[in-house]
């Protein structure tokens, strides 16, 4: 046990000496041969017996050598190695701390900075010199400020596009991909994509622009910045592409715009996260090429109408500004296409959920007001009242138009006056057509059914307008009288209102009817039906209406009789005057002969 205590004291003293040597407080030389030499007040105590059994190695200031000495000492001890393990570990920890402190001081003196401190591991066999060398190699990096990219506006980027260069590019790609129109159109988009690649989203915040701009300003975005020469070169080239290829190209452009819209909106709660692919082209370029395509070939929108109206991807309140912008671009090229799309895509929204949204209603009205205010709009729309075999304003749209223009007084809003302003022209387009044609006969019969329903709803203004349209159908198509005769009793109140208006305004309406015989026969049929129903005790609630209807039928038939009497009288008087004129002319002839004989004048 004495030998163990001595060895422990020896090891502790060595640790203290090493610490002093490292910190620069002095050097202590240790003699382990049994002769006592002191330096700095320390003395080494050894035992001769132990020296005989075991030779201790020289103490080295190197941590690695000291560690190996300790390991050899532990090996000598055999079974007693566990006694010194805690002391050895303690010594190694102290040596490591001393080495790290020394390395830190050297780094501070040299001004070097080690970003990530590395700890030496005795099992890795790395030396302290290696650690210090690695620390000295790292030099402090100075961050260079990033050069700010110059801000480029849409106008500046557009001004750099040269019409000649664009023309040469289009000629080149047309030769290379003459039979591959889809590739041609993508290369066309690539050209403008490169031209506007330097325009950042901050310089073209299209979402904000579309939400805040009126339609009059919206329609010029972004083509207002394109020069006339560049525009003409581009649209002339687009005019040579097929409708099918342009339809795919337009659909790709719209998908790119809506993908960017979705990325700005984010993902709603409860919905699956969908990764939207950002378009490879500049959004400015996509809007430019899309506007050019729609203005040059507006009919492409009619081809895409089934997709736009049926696919939910292209519907929604958030997409309304883009839809309005697209139809406005098409109307720049053809007003008929613009009205055709407005009636079928935008106008139905006014009867849906969006009808209660003033912003949506205002945007939709702005577009139709712009279309109808274009030069010669009325003439152009009347001439194009039928587009590709379809009515520009079909009967169903006329019905909705009547209801939003003539609501009940309690339902009137600020937009009602704006509908009243556009109603006359739209009504005129809805009723336009070749009178007597097969297609027009079908239209008048459809409108007659719509009108009779509107008359019976009890809205005075709507009833008056529907009655006018009902009578118009009668004047255009005599077959409508037979149709009226079929539903006369089922729509008795509406029929009474029409008969009253015919009776009051018969002088004006009679000249518009091409076949008065059909009118007379229908009125006689009404009277017969009235008598049959009145003769029965049933349906007593309708007796007042039947009597009123019968009264107006009599009045109109009476005017027929008076009219015919006047015609007969006029004919008789005219015939009498003609006969009288002949007789008078003969009498004057004989009087002239007598006068000539009396005066001995020669006769001819």
């Amino acid at each position: 046990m004495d030998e163990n205590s001595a060895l422990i004291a020896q090891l502790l003293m060595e640790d203290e000496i090493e610490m002093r040597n490292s910190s620069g407080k002095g050097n202590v030389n240790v003699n382990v041969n049994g002769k006592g030499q002191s330096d700095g007040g320390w003395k080494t105590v050894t035992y001769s017996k132990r020296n005989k059994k075991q030779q201790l190695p020289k103490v080295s200031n190197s941590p690695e050598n000291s560690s190996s000495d300790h390991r050899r000492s532990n090996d000598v001890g055999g079974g007693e190695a566990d006694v010194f393990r805690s002391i050895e570990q303690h010594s190694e920890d102290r040596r490591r701390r001393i080495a790290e402190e020394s390395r830190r001081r050297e780094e501070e003196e040299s001004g070097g900075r080690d970003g990530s401190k590395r700890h030496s591991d005795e099992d890795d066999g790395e030396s302290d010199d290696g650690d210090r060398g690695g620390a000295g190699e790292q030099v402090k990096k100075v961050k260079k400020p990033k050069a700010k990219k110059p801000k480029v506006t849409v106008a500046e980027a557009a001004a750099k596009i040269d019409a000649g260069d664009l023309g040469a590019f289009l000629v080149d790609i047309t030769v290379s991909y003459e039979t591959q129109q889809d590739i041609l159109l993508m290369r066309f988009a690539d050209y403008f994509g490169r031209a506007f690649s330097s325009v950042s989203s901050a310089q073209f915040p299209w979402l904000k622009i579309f939400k805040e701009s009126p339609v009059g300003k919206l329609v010029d975005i972004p083509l207002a910045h394109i020069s006339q020469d560049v525009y003409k070169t581009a649209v002339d080239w687009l005019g040579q592409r097929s409708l099918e290829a342009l339809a795919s190209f337009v659909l790709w452009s719209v998908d790119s715009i809506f993908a960017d819209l979705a990325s700005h909106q984010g993902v709603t709660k409860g919905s699956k996260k969908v990764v939207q692919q950002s378009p490879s082209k500049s959004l400015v370029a996509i809007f430019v090429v899309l506007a050019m395509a729609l203005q040059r070939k507006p009919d492409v929108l009619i081809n895409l109408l089934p997709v736009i109206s049926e696919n939910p991807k292209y519907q929604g309140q958030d997409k309304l500004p883009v839809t309005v912008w697209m139809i406005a671009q098409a109307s720049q090229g053809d007003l008929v296409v613009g009205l055709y799309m407005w009636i079928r895509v935008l106008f139905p929204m006014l009867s849906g959920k969006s009808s209660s949204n003033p912003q949506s209603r205002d945007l939709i009205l702005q577009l139709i007001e712009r279309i109808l205010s274009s030069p010669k709009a009325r003439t152009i729309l009347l001439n194009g009242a039928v587009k590709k075999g379809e009515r520009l304003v079909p009967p169903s749209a006329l019905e909705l138009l009547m209801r939003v223009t003539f609501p009940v007084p309690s339902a009137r809003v600020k937009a009602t006056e704006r509908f009243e302003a556009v109603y006359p022209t739209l009504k005129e387009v809805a009723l336009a057509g070749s009178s007597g044609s097969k297609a027009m006969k079908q239209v008048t019969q459809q409108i007659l059914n719509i009108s009779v329903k509107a008359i019976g709803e009890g809205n005075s203004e709507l009833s008056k307008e529907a009655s006018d349209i009902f009578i118009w159908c009668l004047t255009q198509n005599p077959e409508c009288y037979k149709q009226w005769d079929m539903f006369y009793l089922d729509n008795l109140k509406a029929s009474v209102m029409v008969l009253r208006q015919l009776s009051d305004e018969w002088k004006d309406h009679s000249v518009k009817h091409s076949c008065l015989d059909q009118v007379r026969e229908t009125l006689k049929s009404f009277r017969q039906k009235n008598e049959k129903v009145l003769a029965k005790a049933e349906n007593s609630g309708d007796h007042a209406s039947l009597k009123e209807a019968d009264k107006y039928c009599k009045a109109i038939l009476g005017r027929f009789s008076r009219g015919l009497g006047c015609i007969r009288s006029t004919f008789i008087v005219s015939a009498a005057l003609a006969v009288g004129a002949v007789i008078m002319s003969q009498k004057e002839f004989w009087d002239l002969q007598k006068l000539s004989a009396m005066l001995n004048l020669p006769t001819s």
Side-chain angles (χ1 to χ4, degrees):
M1 194 65 186
D2 292 337
E3 292 180 358
N4 291 340
S5 299
L7 187 56
I8 290 170
Q10 172 69 20
L11 292 174
L12 290 175
M13 184 191 69
E14 289 175 2
D15 289 341
E16 184 67 25
I17 292 170
E18 288 181 57
M19 187 175 67
R20 287 176 174 271
N21 288 338
S22 300
S23 60
K25 291 183 180 180
N27 296 326
V28 177
N29 295 325
V30 180
N31 189 345
V32 294
N33 295 325
K35 296 179 181 180
Q37 290 183 353
S38 64
D39 189 0
W42 290 89
K43 183 184 292 184
T44 301
V45 180
T46 59
Y47 292 88
S48 57
K49 291 182 180 180
R50 182 178 180 280
N51 287 337
K52 293 178 182 178
K53 294 180 181 179
Q54 179 181 351
Q55 286 264 338
L56 289 176
K58 279 191 174 183
V59 179
S60 173
N61 290 335
S62 174
E64 286 81 6
N65 294 338
S66 178
S67 298
S68 60
D69 292 343
H70 282 193
R71 283 191 290 271
R72 286 191 296 270
S73 299
N74 291 338
D75 293 338
V76 172
E80 298 175 354
D82 292 336
V83 179
F84 305 102
R85 184 168 296 167
S86 61
I87 299 172
E88 179 183 356
Q89 187 174 358
H90 178 69
S91 299
E92 289 174 355
D93 290 340
R94 294 185 65 181
R95 292 190 194 96
R96 190 184 302 111
R97 288 196 298 271
I98 293 168
E100 288 175 356
E101 180 67 16
S102 176
R103 185 166 60 252
R104 185 183 64 79
R105 288 177 180 174
E106 289 178 2
E107 289 173 354
E108 289 178 354
E109 292 174 359
S110 62
R113 185 174 64 88
D114 187 6
S116 58
K117 292 185 177 180
R118 292 174 294 183
H119 298 277
S120 60
D121 192 347
E122 62 179 332
D123 295 331
D124 293 340
E126 293 181 19
S127 64
D128 292 340
D129 294 336
D131 291 340
R132 282 193 291 270
E137 290 174 0
Q138 295 193 5
V139 182
K140 184 178 181 181
K141 295 181 180 179
V142 179
K143 289 185 178 180
K144 295 181 180 180
K146 293 182 179 179
K148 292 183 178 180
K149 293 182 180 180
K151 294 181 180 179
V152 180
T153 63
V154 176
E156 291 171 347
K160 295 178 181 179
I161 302 175
D162 180 68
D165 181 68
L166 173 61
F169 173 80
L170 294 177
V171 169
D172 183 47
I173 63 171
T174 303
V175 172
S176 302
Y177 307 101
E178 186 175 1
T179 59
Q180 298 171 295
Q181 294 199 49
D182 53 343
I183 298 178
L184 274 176
L185 290 167
M186 294 307 294
R187 292 297 307 275
F188 173 73
D190 281 337
Y191 183 90
F192 286 94
R194 291 191 298 271
F196 291 101
S197 60
S198 56
V199 179
S200 65
S201 58
Q203 295 299 315
F204 185 65
W206 72 272
L207 275 174
K208 181 181 179 182
I209 293 173
F210 274 50
K211 286 180 180 178
E212 299 177 356
S213 301
V215 173
K217 183 179 178 182
L218 193 66
V219 73
D220 294 328
I221 297 172
L223 288 186
H225 302 293
I226 303 295
S227 69
Q228 190 62 31
D229 292 338
V230 172
Y231 175 81
K232 188 176 185 307
T233 302
V235 296
D236 287 348
W237 183 82
L238 285 170
Q240 301 172 19
R241 311 281 77 81
S242 68
L243 273 178
E244 293 75 14
L246 283 172
S248 299
F249 179 68
V250 167
L251 209 57
W252 169 82
S253 302
V254 176
D255 288 343
S256 299
I257 292 171
F258 286 162
D260 186 74
L261 173 65
S263 66
H264 283 84
Q265 290 175 335
V267 183
T268 58
K269 289 184 178 180
S271 64
K272 294 181 179 180
K273 186 175 181 180
V274 179
V275 179
Q276 297 286 349
Q277 293 182 354
S278 59
S280 57
K281 313 292 183 296
S282 165
L283 271 175
V284 184
I286 291 175
F287 277 105
V288 167
V289 297
L290 178 57
M292 288 178 175
L294 292 175
Q295 290 189 14
R296 182 61 183 86
K297 289 286 187 76
D299 285 352
V300 72
L301 270 190
I302 297 179
N303 289 11
L304 291 174
L305 179 60
V307 179
I308 295 173
S309 58
E310 295 174 9
N311 193 330
K313 181 170 67 172
Y314 303 104
Q315 300 170 7
Q317 199 70 23
D318 54 336
K319 301 177 180 68
L320 179 61
V322 178
T323 306
V324 169
W325 178 86
M326 290 171 60
I327 297 176
Q329 298 303 324
S331 67
Q332 291 285 93
D334 189 348
L335 287 177
V336 173
V337 174
L339 181 58
Y340 185 95
M341 295 298 296
W342 185 87
I343 286 290
R344 286 158 177 79
V345 177
L346 298 178
F347 190 45
M349 294 183 183
L350 298 177
S351 60
K353 295 180 180 179
S354 59
S355 61
S356 60
N357 188 325
Q359 289 80 13
S360 301
R361 188 166 54 232
D362 175 64
L363 203 59
I364 294 170
L365 277 169
Q366 281 187 55
L367 181 56
I368 191 60
E369 288 167 349
R370 178 180 175 82
I371 291 173
L372 297 182
S373 63
S374 301
K376 300 181 180 179
R378 178 179 173 274
T379 304
I380 294 171
L381 295 174
L382 287 175
N383 291 336
V386 179
K387 179 75 173 177
K388 293 187 176 182
E390 294 185 58
R391 302 286 304 177
L392 198 55
V393 181
S396 57
L398 178 62
E399 180 184 13
L400 177 58
L401 189 62
M402 284 195 296
R403 296 185 184 281
V404 296
T405 308
F406 304 101
V408 294
S410 60
R412 288 182 67 88
V413 292
K414 290 182 179 179
T416 303
E417 294 181 2
R418 297 169 68 182
F419 279 114
E420 290 173 348
V422 301
Y423 176 78
T425 304
L426 295 177
K427 172 188 172 183
E428 196 173 1
V429 175
L431 303 181
S434 301
S435 179
S437 65
K438 183 178 180 180
M440 200 62 192
K441 285 181 179 180
Q442 294 177 351
V443 170
T444 53
Q445 290 174 345
Q446 291 175 12
I447 295 176
L448 192 77
N449 288 328
I450 291 171
S451 300
V452 74
K453 292 177 183 178
I455 294 170
E457 290 186 4
N459 180 352
S460 59
E461 290 187 1
L462 179 61
S463 297
K464 177 67 172 64
E465 179 63 23
S467 295
D468 290 340
I469 294 176
F470 189 98
I471 295 172
W472 174 86
C473 293
L474 298 176
T475 62
Q476 295 296 309
N477 182 11
E479 296 295 323
C480 287
Y481 278 103
K482 295 180 180 180
Q483 186 178 352
W484 185 14
D485 192 18
M486 293 174 63
F487 59 68
Y488 168 72
L489 292 176
D490 294 332
N491 296 276
L492 187 57
K493 291 183 179 180
S495 297
V496 169
M497 293 186 68
V498 174
L499 288 169
R500 182 191 301 125
Q501 188 169 343
L502 280 172
S503 177
D504 295 343
E505 304 171 2
W506 179 249
K507 186 177 180 180
D508 297 328
H509 293 303
S510 61
V511 297
K512 298 177 183 178
H513 286 77
S514 59
C515 184
L516 292 176
D517 290 339
Q518 186 67 53
V519 181
R520 185 169 55 250
E521 293 299 324
T522 303
L523 292 174
K524 288 181 179 179
S525 175
F526 287 169
R527 292 206 66 192
Q528 292 174 1
K529 291 179 179 180
N530 294 340
E531 290 174 2
K532 288 181 180 179
V533 176
L534 288 170
K536 298 178 181 180
E538 301 170 353
N539 298 325
S540 58
D542 293 334
H543 282 189
S545 298
L546 287 167
K547 289 180 180 179
E548 187 177 3
D550 199 57
K551 179 181 71 173
Y552 294 127
C553 288
K554 284 182 182 179
I556 298 171
L557 287 171
R559 289 189 176 91
F560 266 103
S561 300
R562 287 196 297 273
L564 291 174
C566 291
I567 292 173
R568 292 192 188 98
S569 300
T570 303
F571 176 76
I572 294 171
V573 171
S574 299
L577 289 173
V579 172
V582 171
I583 294 172
M584 290 299 294
S585 63
Q586 289 180 352
K587 185 178 179 181
E588 288 177 0
F589 176 75
W590 288 109
D591 289 344
L592 286 173
Q593 282 187 335
K594 288 180 181 180
L595 183 62
S596 299
M598 290 175 63
L599 297 175
N600 295 321
L601 296 174
T603 58
S604 57

